[in-house]
Amino acid sequence: MDPRREHVRRLLQVDAYITDIHGRTTAPAQIIDISRMGVAFVSDQAITPHEQFVLNFCFPGSGIRNEITLTVLHSAVVGTHGRYRNGARFAAISAACADRIFDYVTTAPA
C-alpha cells in the first residue's frame, strides 16, 4: 500500500456512468480503483473539479447497481487517446453501498 494513502484501494475495472448532479448529462466512464472513501475513473472528457456528480456501477459478477454522489478532486489527461483520469471523494453513499465497497476492498481477489 502507498504510505500516502489514508484508505486501502483495490484495483477494479468496471464500466460506469457519471451524471451531473442535476441529471442533465450522463457520460460513460471506467472505474480503475476504489476505496472506502473514493474512486479513480477514466472518462472521455474532462470532469470539472470541485463539482458533485453521481456515479453508477456494478461490481463484477453482481447485478446490484451502486449509486454514489461524489466530488471530483482532479481530472487530468492520461495517455495519447484524449482520455482523462479522474479522482473523486464520496460525498453521499447509502449504508448498503458502503458495505459492498468495504467487502470488495477488504476481500482478497479470487
Side-chain angles (χ1 to χ4, degrees), residues 27-50:
Q30 184 177 44
I31 295 175
I32 54 177
D33 74 43
I34 194 164
S35 76
R36 292 183 326 156
M37 300 299 291
V39 65
F41 62 95
V42 178
S43 61
D44 290 335
Q45 50 190 276
I47 306 292
T48 307
H50 311 296

Side-chain angles (χ1 to χ4, degrees), residues 12-16 31 56-66:
L12 173 65
Q13 277 194 304
V14 294
D15 292 333
I31 295 175
N56 284 285
F57 71 97
C58 293
F59 282 105
S62 172
I64 300 171
R65 182 136 306 273
N66 299 288

Side-chain angles (χ1 to χ4, degrees), residues 38-110:
V39 65
F41 62 95
V42 178
S43 61
D44 290 335
Q45 50 190 276
I47 306 292
T48 307
H50 311 296
E51 290 193 17
Q52 288 192 336
F53 295 87
V54 177
L55 182 72
N56 284 285
F57 71 97
C58 293
F59 282 105
S62 172
I64 300 171
R65 182 136 306 273
N66 299 288
E67 182 175 292
I68 302 167
T69 301
L70 48 79
T71 302
V72 173
L73 302 176
H74 60 85
S75 183
V77 174
V78 63
T80 58
H81 299 290
R83 302 214 54 208
Y84 294 83
R85 185 182 196 285
N86 308 281
R89 182 171 295 273
F90 301 148
I93 184 171
S94 71
C97 183
D99 288 344
R100 286 188 293 275
I101 292 170
F102 178 79
D103 289 345
Y104 182 81
V105 171
T106 60
T107 301

